[in-house]
Amino acid sequence: MHAWVAFAKPFRMPDFFLISGLFLARVIDRDWRTYIDRKVVHFAYFYVLWMTIQIGVKAPGMAAEAADGWHAVVRFYLMAFVEPFGTLWFIYLLPVFFVVTKLTRTVPPLAIFLIGAALEIAPIHTGWTAIDEFAERFVYFYAGYWLGAVLALALWGIINGILVFKGYGDLPFISLGLGLLGAGAVVTAATLMAQTNWSSPLRYLGANTIVVYLAFFFGMAASRVVLLRPAS
């Protein structure tokens, strides 16, 4: 899986945020009350729910390992409202992206896009997940909202593969370009596949993507325990 993971790295999360921004134009002009309910409360609920479930599963082990026991668990839980918990960081950031995009509605889109591109290129490493991931990902979300561009799928695959396996995928400017190209390519592929009859299973997964992604935690945790258990 290492080769596939390396190939997908430049566009995996950019694609998620670009598609999230792609459908924002339909609701961004709604009043703030409706907008907050649909685009902030909705994802905040998902985050708090699954953060509570995952920490609850891990809590006994955390309490056993910590010097102050369950106080450490409570502290960790409260901190998760400031520092996104594990793999839930993207759900934590989505409401932030929605609010920032609506607040900057009157700013020229090109200016916001250029600022977002500059943040992605800049070596921002504060140690705080929300800040670092905002800087690295917002440009893709905004590009989905503003541009909605569809790029050539075959050309993207060749360029992405060459640059990744030649070791250039993480370089400044190149990582931004690959992220945008890859996100556009996935959108294009999804549009083509939606016209076929055999894509129903993928359509179901797409409609329930967050639930499917978050629920895999239980199977992963159980299989990890089994796989890592020393052979008797």
Side-chain angles (χ1 to χ4, degrees):
M1 293 294 290
H2 286 255
W4 170 244
V5 171
F7 182 82
K9 181 181 177 182
F11 64 87
R12 179 169 53 90
M13 292 312 300
D15 168 64
F16 171 81
F17 287 114
L18 187 143
I19 293 177
S20 297
L22 192 63
F23 302 101
L24 182 57
R26 297 186 302 178
V27 298
I28 197 170
D29 290 323
R30 295 180 181 177
D31 63 277
W32 271 103
R33 182 176 180 179
T34 303
Y35 189 80
I36 292 294
D37 179 59
R38 301 286 177 84
K39 295 301 181 183
V40 177
V41 175
H42 175 78
F43 291 102
Y45 163 77
F46 260 110
Y47 175 77
V48 173
L49 174 64
W50 282 95
M51 180 260 289
T52 302
I53 292 174
Q54 292 194 19
I55 292 180
V57 172
K58 297 181 177 182
M62 294 169 58
E65 294 177 2
D68 52 350
W70 286 96
H71 288 89
V73 176
V74 174
R75 211 167 43 245
F76 185 84
Y77 181 83
L78 294 176
M79 189 63 186
F81 287 90
V82 178
E83 174 66 14
F85 176 74
T87 56
L88 302 181
W89 66 267
F90 70 98
I91 299 179
Y92 185 100
L93 274 181
L94 274 178
V96 178
F97 286 168
F98 285 127
V99 170
V100 170
T101 303
K102 188 168 178 64
L103 287 174
T104 57
R105 189 83 168 85
T106 58
V107 180
L110 180 59
I112 300 298
F113 179 80
L114 291 178
I115 292 172
L119 289 174
E120 197 278 346
I121 294 169
I124 298 176
H125 304 290
T126 66
W128 291 94
T129 301
I131 297 174
D132 294 348
E133 294 294 347
F134 179 93
E136 188 173 351
R137 312 296 184 181
F138 179 71
V139 64
Y140 303 110
F141 180 87
Y142 196 81
Y145 158 66
W146 180 46
L147 300 176
V150 176
L151 305 174
L153 193 58
L155 181 61
W156 157 78
I158 295 171
I159 294 175
N160 190 85
I162 291 174
L163 291 177
V164 167
F165 296 117
K166 288 291 185 179
Y168 302 125
D170 290 327
L171 295 179
F173 295 99
I174 292 180
S175 64
L176 172 63
L178 290 181
L180 290 172
L181 286 169
V186 174
V187 172
T188 303
T191 302
L192 295 174
M193 293 171 65
Q195 302 174 18
T196 64
N197 294 327
W198 50 267
S199 62
S200 295
L202 293 178
R203 187 178 295 111
Y204 173 83
L205 292 176
N208 298 277
T209 179
I210 292 182
V211 175
V212 172
Y213 176 80
L214 295 178
F216 97 99
F217 163 79
F218 296 107
M220 180 190 69
S223 62
R224 179 178 295 170
V225 171
V226 174
L227 293 172
L228 296 181
R229 180 178 298 167
S232 56

